[in-house]
Amino acid sequence: MQSPILLGLVASGCLILAGCGDSGTGATSSESGAVAPPSAPALSDEEKLAVLASLPAPYNAADLDNGRRAFARCRSCHTITPGGPHLSGPNLHGVFDRRAGGLDKYSYSHALRNAGFDWDAAALDQWLQNPRDFLPGNKMTFAGLSKPEDRRDVIAFLKVETGYRPTQDGPAEQEPDAE
């Protein structure tokens, strides 16, 4: 006869824990207890193609599916969502036009903190080809992408997925990055 009592205790515990969950607002709690803003809605396929078409050559001719597949190797270390967590590598949302080593809440290598450049497609292409040769002393263990079309496709994928929005005349606009 102890199982009805045990079942009641388990059910009570579940109800209590359910009250601690997501309130349905889309906001999530961080480790510090602060509430993160809801993330921006995902782009539709048509919007992604429009962003891709607006990129300068050669990125406007990239294969986003190949970029997504090639980026899968990066997902064990990097997230790309607004306000996403840092893993062993920093969150990459808003990476374009951001200072290398510039996120306050990530522990970069000394080499990257002092690199002195902003991330753009050219720098990222060199980085993705061979991170250790591009910036000796960084802590990234990834060997690199040897195929130029894979690097092009990953860069275009990141531009489409991380808030980069090209403008007609001037620097790119970034969606706000909730870090």
Side-chain angles (χ1 to χ4, degrees):
M1 286 298 175
Q2 289 182 349
S3 49
I5 294 171
L6 183 58
L7 184 59
L9 288 173
V10 170
S12 297
C14 289
L15 288 173
I16 290 170
L17 290 175
C20 295
D22 186 1
S23 64
T25 63
T28 57
S29 296
S30 68
E31 291 176 11
S32 66
V35 175
S39 59
L43 296 177
S44 69
D45 289 342
E46 294 81 22
E47 291 169 321
K48 289 178 183 182
L49 291 175
V51 172
L52 179 66
S54 69
L55 297 176
Y59 306 104
N60 59 350
D63 178 344
L64 289 180
D65 287 332
N66 184 52
R68 179 184 43 76
R69 284 188 301 272
F71 185 76
R73 294 175 255 183
C74 310
R75 286 193 187 274
S76 62
C77 299
H78 296 280
T79 60
I80 59 173
T81 56
H86 301 304
L87 302 176
S88 59
N91 177 291
L92 298 178
H93 191 270
V95 67
F96 291 99
D97 300 323
R98 182 167 67 203
R99 192 75 168 165
L103 288 178
D104 292 334
K105 297 178 182 176
Y106 181 75
S107 178
Y108 290 98
S109 65
H110 179 76
L112 203 49
R113 273 194 321 272
N114 296 299
F117 67 88
D118 292 342
W119 288 112
D120 61 14
L124 191 55
D125 182 65
Q126 292 176 9
W127 173 269
L128 289 173
Q129 184 174 13
N130 190 325
R132 298 227 181 245
D133 286 350
F134 176 70
L135 189 65
N138 77 76
K139 64 182 183 179
M140 190 162 157
T141 59
F142 183 61
L145 296 171
S146 60
K147 295 180 181 177
E149 61 273 10
D150 285 347
R151 295 193 307 273
R152 177 203 62 194
D153 295 349
V154 166
I155 291 168
F157 171 79
L158 286 173
K159 283 182 178 270
V160 169
E161 297 290 337
T162 65
Y164 177 87
R165 301 296 177 262
T167 60
Q168 290 295 350
D169 37 71
E173 295 177 356
Q174 293 280 347
E175 290 177 0
D177 192 15
E179 296 178 44

PDB file of all heavy atoms in Angstrom, residues 67-102:
ATOM      1  N   GLY A  67      26.869  24.516 -46.471  1.00  0.00           N
ATOM      2  CA  GLY A  67      27.381  25.311 -45.353  1.00  0.00           C
ATOM      3  C   GLY A  67      26.871  24.802 -44.014  1.00  0.00           C
ATOM      4  O   GLY A  67      27.627  24.702 -43.049  1.00  0.00           O
ATOM      5  N   ARG A  68      25.591  24.447 -43.964  1.00  0.00           N
ATOM      6  CA  ARG A  68      25.000  23.882 -42.740  1.00  0.00           C
ATOM      7  C   ARG A  68      25.670  22.560 -42.396  1.00  0.00           C
ATOM      8  O   ARG A  68      26.030  22.312 -41.239  1.00  0.00           O
ATOM      9  CB  ARG A  68      23.499  23.702 -42.913  1.00  0.00           C
ATOM     10  CG  ARG A  68      22.791  23.094 -41.700  1.00  0.00           C
ATOM     11  CD  ARG A  68      21.313  22.838 -41.948  1.00  0.00           C
ATOM     12  NE  ARG A  68      21.000  22.246 -43.244  1.00  0.00           N
ATOM     13  CZ  ARG A  68      21.187  20.961 -43.571  1.00  0.00           C
ATOM     14  NH1 ARG A  68      21.694  20.128 -42.690  1.00  0.00           N
ATOM     15  NH2 ARG A  68      20.872  20.513 -44.767  1.00  0.00           N
ATOM     16  N   ARG A  69      25.860  21.702 -43.411  1.00  0.00           N
ATOM     17  CA  ARG A  69      26.507  20.399 -43.173  1.00  0.00           C
ATOM     18  C   ARG A  69      27.955  20.578 -42.718  1.00  0.00           C
ATOM     19  O   ARG A  69      28.418  19.913 -41.785  1.00  0.00           O
ATOM     20  CB  ARG A  69      26.456  19.535 -44.429  1.00  0.00           C
ATOM     21  CG  ARG A  69      25.104  18.915 -44.693  1.00  0.00           C
ATOM     22  CD  ARG A  69      25.149  17.906 -45.833  1.00  0.00           C
ATOM     23  NE  ARG A  69      25.609  18.465 -47.097  1.00  0.00           N
ATOM     24  CZ  ARG A  69      24.824  19.035 -48.005  1.00  0.00           C
ATOM     25  NH1 ARG A  69      23.529  19.117 -47.805  1.00  0.00           N
ATOM     26  NH2 ARG A  69      25.328  19.512 -49.127  1.00  0.00           N
ATOM     27  N   ALA A  70      28.674  21.468 -43.367  1.00  0.00           N
ATOM     28  CA  ALA A  70      30.074  21.694 -42.989  1.00  0.00           C
ATOM     29  C   ALA A  70      30.162  22.318 -41.593  1.00  0.00           C
ATOM     30  O   ALA A  70      31.065  21.983 -40.815  1.00  0.00           O
ATOM     31  CB  ALA A  70      30.769  22.583 -44.016  1.00  0.00           C
ATOM     32  N   PHE A  71      29.211  23.195 -41.265  1.00  0.00           N
ATOM     33  CA  PHE A  71      29.214  23.820 -39.936  1.00  0.00           C
ATOM     34  C   PHE A  71      28.876  22.813 -38.837  1.00  0.00           C
ATOM     35  O   PHE A  71      29.204  23.043 -37.664  1.00  0.00           O
ATOM     36  CB  PHE A  71      28.246  25.010 -39.880  1.00  0.00           C
ATOM     37  CG  PHE A  71      28.308  25.737 -38.571  1.00  0.00           C
ATOM     38  CD1 PHE A  71      29.364  26.594 -38.290  1.00  0.00           C
ATOM     39  CD2 PHE A  71      27.337  25.548 -37.599  1.00  0.00           C
ATOM     40  CE1 PHE A  71      29.455  27.240 -37.067  1.00  0.00           C
ATOM     41  CE2 PHE A  71      27.411  26.185 -36.379  1.00  0.00           C
ATOM     42  CZ  PHE A  71      28.476  27.046 -36.114  1.00  0.00           C
ATOM     43  N   ALA A  72      28.277  21.695 -39.189  1.00  0.00           N
ATOM     44  CA  ALA A  72      27.952  20.674 -38.182  1.00  0.00           C
ATOM     45  C   ALA A  72      29.197  20.268 -37.398  1.00  0.00           C
ATOM     46  O   ALA A  72      29.113  19.934 -36.216  1.00  0.00           O
ATOM     47  CB  ALA A  72      27.310  19.463 -38.846  1.00  0.00           C
ATOM     48  N   ARG A  73      30.370  20.321 -38.036  1.00  0.00           N
ATOM     49  CA  ARG A  73      31.623  19.998 -37.341  1.00  0.00           C
ATOM     50  C   ARG A  73      31.960  21.035 -36.282  1.00  0.00           C
ATOM     51  O   ARG A  73      32.732  20.772 -35.369  1.00  0.00           O
ATOM     52  CB  ARG A  73      32.776  19.915 -38.342  1.00  0.00           C
ATOM     53  CG  ARG A  73      32.633  18.759 -39.299  1.00  0.00           C
ATOM     54  CD  ARG A  73      33.718  18.781 -40.332  1.00  0.00           C
ATOM     55  NE  ARG A  73      33.127  19.237 -41.584  1.00  0.00           N
ATOM     56  CZ  ARG A  73      33.745  19.328 -42.728  1.00  0.00           C
ATOM     57  NH1 ARG A  73      35.007  19.023 -42.819  1.00  0.00           N
ATOM     58  NH2 ARG A  73      33.107  19.716 -43.811  1.00  0.00           N
ATOM     59  N   CYS A  74      31.388  22.219 -36.412  1.00  0.00           N
ATOM     60  CA  CYS A  74      31.685  23.321 -35.497  1.00  0.00           C
ATOM     61  C   CYS A  74      30.724  23.354 -34.305  1.00  0.00           C
ATOM     62  O   CYS A  74      31.024  23.978 -33.291  1.00  0.00           O
ATOM     63  CB  CYS A  74      31.585  24.656 -36.242  1.00  0.00           C
ATOM     64  SG  CYS A  74      32.503  24.710 -37.798  1.00  0.00           S
ATOM     65  N   ARG A  75      29.568  22.699 -34.447  1.00  0.00           N
ATOM     66  CA  ARG A  75      28.519  22.784 -33.425  1.00  0.00           C
ATOM     67  C   ARG A  75      28.893  22.169 -32.084  1.00  0.00           C
ATOM     68  O   ARG A  75      28.277  22.483 -31.082  1.00  0.00           O
ATOM     69  CB  ARG A  75      27.236  22.146 -33.934  1.00  0.00           C
ATOM     70  CG  ARG A  75      26.537  22.998 -34.965  1.00  0.00           C
ATOM     71  CD  ARG A  75      25.125  22.494 -35.210  1.00  0.00           C
ATOM     72  NE  ARG A  75      24.510  23.191 -36.307  1.00  0.00           N
ATOM     73  CZ  ARG A  75      23.865  24.352 -36.197  1.00  0.00           C
ATOM     74  NH1 ARG A  75      23.753  24.927 -35.032  1.00  0.00           N
ATOM     75  NH2 ARG A  75      23.320  24.913 -37.248  1.00  0.00           N
ATOM     76  N   SER A  76      29.883  21.309 -32.048  1.00  0.00           N
ATOM     77  CA  SER A  76      30.278  20.757 -30.752  1.00  0.00           C
ATOM     78  C   SER A  76      30.962  21.816 -29.890  1.00  0.00           C
ATOM     79  O   SER A  76      31.026  21.671 -28.670  1.00  0.00           O
ATOM     80  CB  SER A  76      31.176  19.542 -30.926  1.00  0.00           C
ATOM     81  OG  SER A  76      32.359  19.891 -31.584  1.00  0.00           O
ATOM     82  N   CYS A  77      31.434  22.891 -30.508  1.00  0.00           N
ATOM     83  CA  CYS A  77      32.136  23.951 -29.778  1.00  0.00           C
ATOM     84  C   CYS A  77      31.445  25.312 -29.843  1.00  0.00           C
ATOM     85  O   CYS A  77      31.736  26.174 -29.018  1.00  0.00           O
ATOM     86  CB  CYS A  77      33.554  24.108 -30.310  1.00  0.00           C
ATOM     87  SG  CYS A  77      34.560  22.625 -30.116  1.00  0.00           S
ATOM     88  N   HIS A  78      30.597  25.544 -30.847  1.00  0.00           N
ATOM     89  CA  HIS A  78      29.999  26.868 -31.061  1.00  0.00           C
ATOM     90  C   HIS A  78      28.483  26.793 -31.206  1.00  0.00           C
ATOM     91  O   HIS A  78      27.966  25.872 -31.837  1.00  0.00           O
ATOM     92  CB  HIS A  78      30.539  27.502 -32.351  1.00  0.00           C
ATOM     93  CG  HIS A  78      31.988  27.793 -32.328  1.00  0.00           C
ATOM     94  ND1 HIS A  78      32.524  28.885 -31.713  1.00  0.00           N
ATOM     95  CD2 HIS A  78      33.037  27.113 -32.869  1.00  0.00           C
ATOM     96  CE1 HIS A  78      33.841  28.883 -31.867  1.00  0.00           C
ATOM     97  NE2 HIS A  78      34.176  27.813 -32.566  1.00  0.00           N
ATOM     98  N   THR A  79      27.801  27.805 -30.665  1.00  0.00           N
ATOM     99  CA  THR A  79      26.384  28.006 -30.926  1.00  0.00           C
ATOM    100  C   THR A  79      26.256  29.247 -31.802  1.00  0.00           C
ATOM    101  O   THR A  79      27.194  30.050 -31.897  1.00  0.00           O
ATOM    102  CB  THR A  79      25.585  28.197 -29.621  1.00  0.00           C
ATOM    103  OG1 THR A  79      26.084  29.347 -28.922  1.00  0.00           O
ATOM    104  CG2 THR A  79      25.683  26.963 -28.729  1.00  0.00           C
ATOM    105  N   ILE A  80      25.099  29.403 -32.441  1.00  0.00           N
ATOM    106  CA  ILE A  80      24.921  30.547 -33.348  1.00  0.00           C
ATOM    107  C   ILE A  80      23.634  31.319 -33.079  1.00  0.00           C
ATOM    108  O   ILE A  80      23.311  32.252 -33.803  1.00  0.00           O
ATOM    109  CB  ILE A  80      24.967  30.107 -34.832  1.00  0.00           C
ATOM    110  CG1 ILE A  80      23.881  29.089 -35.154  1.00  0.00           C
ATOM    111  CG2 ILE A  80      26.352  29.592 -35.194  1.00  0.00           C
ATOM    112  CD1 ILE A  80      23.769  28.736 -36.627  1.00  0.00           C
ATOM    113  N   THR A  81      22.905  30.965 -32.042  1.00  0.00           N
ATOM    114  CA  THR A  81      21.633  31.622 -31.765  1.00  0.00           C
ATOM    115  C   THR A  81      21.843  32.898 -30.957  1.00  0.00           C
ATOM    116  O   THR A  81      22.816  33.005 -30.208  1.00  0.00           O
ATOM    117  CB  THR A  81      20.700  30.682 -30.981  1.00  0.00           C
ATOM    118  OG1 THR A  81      21.370  30.259 -29.794  1.00  0.00           O
ATOM    119  CG2 THR A  81      20.311  29.470 -31.820  1.00  0.00           C
ATOM    120  N   PRO A  82      20.929  33.864 -31.093  1.00  0.00           N
ATOM    121  CA  PRO A  82      21.045  35.082 -30.282  1.00  0.00           C
ATOM    122  C   PRO A  82      21.021  34.731 -28.797  1.00  0.00           C
ATOM    123  O   PRO A  82      20.152  34.008 -28.344  1.00  0.00           O
ATOM    124  CB  PRO A  82      19.809  35.896 -30.650  1.00  0.00           C
ATOM    125  CG  PRO A  82      19.287  35.311 -31.904  1.00  0.00           C
ATOM    126  CD  PRO A  82      19.741  33.879 -31.943  1.00  0.00           C
ATOM    127  N   GLY A  83      22.007  35.195 -28.064  1.00  0.00           N
ATOM    128  CA  GLY A  83      22.074  34.923 -26.641  1.00  0.00           C
ATOM    129  C   GLY A  83      22.428  33.495 -26.295  1.00  0.00           C
ATOM    130  O   GLY A  83      22.337  33.097 -25.137  1.00  0.00           O
ATOM    131  N   GLY A  84      22.834  32.708 -27.297  1.00  0.00           N
ATOM    132  CA  GLY A  84      23.171  31.315 -27.054  1.00  0.00           C
ATOM    133  C   GLY A  84      24.380  31.183 -26.148  1.00  0.00           C
ATOM    134  O   GLY A  84      25.174  32.110 -25.993  1.00  0.00           O
ATOM    135  N   PRO A  85      24.527  30.022 -25.548  1.00  0.00           N
ATOM    136  CA  PRO A  85      25.641  29.836 -24.611  1.00  0.00           C
ATOM    137  C   PRO A  85      26.981  29.716 -25.326  1.00  0.00           C
ATOM    138  O   PRO A  85      27.050  29.356 -26.489  1.00  0.00           O
ATOM    139  CB  PRO A  85      25.286  28.511 -23.929  1.00  0.00           C
ATOM    140  CG  PRO A  85      24.509  27.760 -24.968  1.00  0.00           C
ATOM    141  CD  PRO A  85      23.717  28.811 -25.706  1.00  0.00           C
ATOM    142  N   HIS A  86      28.014  30.031 -24.590  1.00  0.00           N
ATOM    143  CA  HIS A  86      29.362  29.731 -25.049  1.00  0.00           C
ATOM    144  C   HIS A  86      29.637  28.285 -24.669  1.00  0.00           C
ATOM    145  O   HIS A  86      29.240  27.831 -23.605  1.00  0.00           O
ATOM    146  CB  HIS A  86      30.394  30.633 -24.372  1.00  0.00           C
ATOM    147  CG  HIS A  86      30.169  32.080 -24.601  1.00  0.00           C
ATOM    148  ND1 HIS A  86      30.087  32.645 -25.853  1.00  0.00           N
ATOM    149  CD2 HIS A  86      30.000  33.103 -23.732  1.00  0.00           C
ATOM    150  CE1 HIS A  86      29.886  33.939 -25.745  1.00  0.00           C
ATOM    151  NE2 HIS A  86      29.817  34.240 -24.471  1.00  0.00           N
ATOM    152  N   LEU A  87      30.275  27.570 -25.540  1.00  0.00           N
ATOM    153  CA  LEU A  87      30.697  26.207 -25.231  1.00  0.00           C
ATOM    154  C   LEU A  87      32.215  26.260 -25.065  1.00  0.00           C
ATOM    155  O   LEU A  87      32.716  27.182 -24.448  1.00  0.00           O
ATOM    156  CB  LEU A  87      30.234  25.267 -26.339  1.00  0.00           C
ATOM    157  CG  LEU A  87      28.709  25.254 -26.592  1.00  0.00           C
ATOM    158  CD1 LEU A  87      28.354  24.377 -27.773  1.00  0.00           C
ATOM    159  CD2 LEU A  87      27.949  24.839 -25.353  1.00  0.00           C
ATOM    160  N   SER A  88      32.947  25.340 -25.634  1.00  0.00           N
ATOM    161  CA  SER A  88      34.402  25.475 -25.574  1.00  0.00           C
ATOM    162  C   SER A  88      34.855  26.589 -26.515  1.00  0.00           C
ATOM    163  O   SER A  88      35.949  27.118 -26.370  1.00  0.00           O
ATOM    164  CB  SER A  88      35.102  24.155 -25.887  1.00  0.00           C
ATOM    165  OG  SER A  88      34.748  23.706 -27.167  1.00  0.00           O
ATOM    166  N   GLY A  89      33.998  26.968 -27.470  1.00  0.00           N
ATOM    167  CA  GLY A  89      34.208  28.129 -28.327  1.00  0.00           C
ATOM    168  C   GLY A  89      33.087  29.125 -28.073  1.00  0.00           C
ATOM    169  O   GLY A  89      32.037  28.772 -27.547  1.00  0.00           O
ATOM    170  N   PRO A  90      33.277  30.388 -28.458  1.00  0.00           N
ATOM    171  CA  PRO A  90      32.257  31.402 -28.189  1.00  0.00           C
ATOM    172  C   PRO A  90      31.028  31.252 -29.091  1.00  0.00           C
ATOM    173  O   PRO A  90      31.100  30.664 -30.168  1.00  0.00           O
ATOM    174  CB  PRO A  90      32.984  32.716 -28.498  1.00  0.00           C
ATOM    175  CG  PRO A  90      33.998  32.334 -29.523  1.00  0.00           C
ATOM    176  CD  PRO A  90      34.441  30.940 -29.140  1.00  0.00           C
ATOM    177  N   ASN A  91      29.919  31.803 -28.632  1.00  0.00           N
ATOM    178  CA  ASN A  91      28.728  31.907 -29.463  1.00  0.00           C
ATOM    179  C   ASN A  91      29.075  32.801 -30.652  1.00  0.00           C
ATOM    180  O   ASN A  91      29.736  33.828 -30.499  1.00  0.00           O
ATOM    181  CB  ASN A  91      27.582  32.517 -28.647  1.00  0.00           C
ATOM    182  CG  ASN A  91      26.337  32.733 -29.467  1.00  0.00           C
ATOM    183  OD1 ASN A  91      26.301  33.584 -30.358  1.00  0.00           O
ATOM    184  ND2 ASN A  91      25.315  31.985 -29.174  1.00  0.00           N
ATOM    185  N   LEU A  92      28.641  32.413 -31.840  1.00  0.00           N
ATOM    186  CA  LEU A  92      29.010  33.143 -33.061  1.00  0.00           C
ATOM    187  C   LEU A  92      27.926  34.079 -33.579  1.00  0.00           C
ATOM    188  O   LEU A  92      28.106  34.689 -34.631  1.00  0.00           O
ATOM    189  CB  LEU A  92      29.404  32.146 -34.155  1.00  0.00           C
ATOM    190  CG  LEU A  92      30.617  31.278 -33.833  1.00  0.00           C
ATOM    191  CD1 LEU A  92      30.882  30.287 -34.960  1.00  0.00           C
ATOM    192  CD2 LEU A  92      31.845  32.138 -33.555  1.00  0.00           C
ATOM    193  N   HIS A  93      26.811  34.212 -32.866  1.00  0.00           N
ATOM    194  CA  HIS A  93      25.781  35.140 -33.343  1.00  0.00           C
ATOM    195  C   HIS A  93      26.355  36.554 -33.314  1.00  0.00           C
ATOM    196  O   HIS A  93      26.934  36.983 -32.324  1.00  0.00           O
ATOM    197  CB  HIS A  93      24.513  35.073 -32.490  1.00  0.00           C
ATOM    198  CG  HIS A  93      23.392  35.814 -33.118  1.00  0.00           C
ATOM    199  ND1 HIS A  93      23.159  37.139 -32.872  1.00  0.00           N
ATOM    200  CD2 HIS A  93      22.473  35.426 -34.027  1.00  0.00           C
ATOM    201  CE1 HIS A  93      22.140  37.529 -33.598  1.00  0.00           C
ATOM    202  NE2 HIS A  93      21.701  36.506 -34.304  1.00  0.00           N
ATOM    203  N   GLY A  94      26.232  37.261 -34.416  1.00  0.00           N
ATOM    204  CA  GLY A  94      26.758  38.616 -34.504  1.00  0.00           C
ATOM    205  C   GLY A  94      28.261  38.683 -34.706  1.00  0.00           C
ATOM    206  O   GLY A  94      28.876  39.717 -34.465  1.00  0.00           O
ATOM    207  N   VAL A  95      28.886  37.607 -35.169  1.00  0.00           N
ATOM    208  CA  VAL A  95      30.344  37.559 -35.278  1.00  0.00           C
ATOM    209  C   VAL A  95      30.896  38.533 -36.320  1.00  0.00           C
ATOM    210  O   VAL A  95      31.978  39.089 -36.135  1.00  0.00           O
ATOM    211  CB  VAL A  95      30.841  36.120 -35.563  1.00  0.00           C
ATOM    212  CG1 VAL A  95      30.418  35.626 -36.929  1.00  0.00           C
ATOM    213  CG2 VAL A  95      32.345  36.016 -35.387  1.00  0.00           C
ATOM    214  N   PHE A  96      30.166  38.769 -37.415  1.00  0.00           N
ATOM    215  CA  PHE A  96      30.723  39.621 -38.475  1.00  0.00           C
ATOM    216  C   PHE A  96      30.780  41.075 -38.025  1.00  0.00           C
ATOM    217  O   PHE A  96      29.837  41.609 -37.459  1.00  0.00           O
ATOM    218  CB  PHE A  96      29.926  39.459 -39.768  1.00  0.00           C
ATOM    219  CG  PHE A  96      30.124  38.096 -40.358  1.00  0.00           C
ATOM    220  CD1 PHE A  96      29.190  37.098 -40.158  1.00  0.00           C
ATOM    221  CD2 PHE A  96      31.268  37.797 -41.069  1.00  0.00           C
ATOM    222  CE1 PHE A  96      29.387  35.825 -40.665  1.00  0.00           C
ATOM    223  CE2 PHE A  96      31.483  36.522 -41.581  1.00  0.00           C
ATOM    224  CZ  PHE A  96      30.534  35.537 -41.381  1.00  0.00           C
ATOM    225  N   ASP A  97      31.922  41.691 -38.265  1.00  0.00           N
ATOM    226  CA  ASP A  97      32.244  43.054 -37.869  1.00  0.00           C
ATOM    227  C   ASP A  97      32.483  43.186 -36.369  1.00  0.00           C
ATOM    228  O   ASP A  97      32.613  44.286 -35.864  1.00  0.00           O
ATOM    229  CB  ASP A  97      31.183  44.062 -38.340  1.00  0.00           C
ATOM    230  CG  ASP A  97      31.043  44.078 -39.849  1.00  0.00           C
ATOM    231  OD1 ASP A  97      32.065  43.946 -40.547  1.00  0.00           O
ATOM    232  OD2 ASP A  97      29.903  44.200 -40.339  1.00  0.00           O
ATOM    233  N   ARG A  98      32.559  42.055 -35.663  1.00  0.00           N
ATOM    234  CA  ARG A  98      32.870  42.071 -34.235  1.00  0.00           C
ATOM    235  C   ARG A  98      34.382  41.944 -34.067  1.00  0.00           C
ATOM    236  O   ARG A  98      35.056  41.265 -34.825  1.00  0.00           O
ATOM    237  CB  ARG A  98      32.153  40.917 -33.529  1.00  0.00           C
ATOM    238  CG  ARG A  98      32.398  40.899 -32.021  1.00  0.00           C
ATOM    239  CD  ARG A  98      31.459  39.962 -31.299  1.00  0.00           C
ATOM    240  NE  ARG A  98      31.711  38.570 -31.638  1.00  0.00           N
ATOM    241  CZ  ARG A  98      30.808  37.609 -31.511  1.00  0.00           C
ATOM    242  NH1 ARG A  98      29.593  37.868 -31.103  1.00  0.00           N
ATOM    243  NH2 ARG A  98      31.125  36.372 -31.813  1.00  0.00           N
ATOM    244  N   ARG A  99      34.911  42.587 -33.072  1.00  0.00           N
ATOM    245  CA  ARG A  99      36.336  42.536 -32.764  1.00  0.00           C
ATOM    246  C   ARG A  99      36.726  41.116 -32.366  1.00  0.00           C
ATOM    247  O   ARG A  99      36.050  40.483 -31.560  1.00  0.00           O
ATOM    248  CB  ARG A  99      36.641  43.499 -31.615  1.00  0.00           C
ATOM    249  CG  ARG A  99      38.087  43.748 -31.397  1.00  0.00           C
ATOM    250  CD  ARG A  99      38.550  44.649 -32.479  1.00  0.00           C
ATOM    251  NE  ARG A  99      39.865  45.180 -32.235  1.00  0.00           N
ATOM    252  CZ  ARG A  99      40.552  45.744 -33.194  1.00  0.00           C
ATOM    253  NH1 ARG A  99      40.046  45.871 -34.396  1.00  0.00           N
ATOM    254  NH2 ARG A  99      41.724  46.220 -32.959  1.00  0.00           N
ATOM    255  N   ALA A 100      37.780  40.592 -32.945  1.00  0.00           N
ATOM    256  CA  ALA A 100      38.273  39.270 -32.564  1.00  0.00           C
ATOM    257  C   ALA A 100      38.634  39.285 -31.083  1.00  0.00           C
ATOM    258  O   ALA A 100      39.296  40.209 -30.615  1.00  0.00           O
ATOM    259  CB  ALA A 100      39.490  38.896 -33.398  1.00  0.00           C
ATOM    260  N   GLY A 101      38.164  38.291 -30.361  1.00  0.00           N
ATOM    261  CA  GLY A 101      38.419  38.231 -28.926  1.00  0.00           C
ATOM    262  C   GLY A 101      37.623  39.246 -28.142  1.00  0.00           C
ATOM    263  O   GLY A 101      37.980  39.567 -27.018  1.00  0.00           O
ATOM    264  N   GLY A 102      36.525  39.731 -28.727  1.00  0.00           N
ATOM    265  CA  GLY A 102      35.820  40.870 -28.140  1.00  0.00           C
ATOM    266  C   GLY A 102      34.611  40.591 -27.269  1.00  0.00           C
ATOM    267  O   GLY A 102      34.019  41.529 -26.761  1.00  0.00           O
TER     268      GLY A 102
END
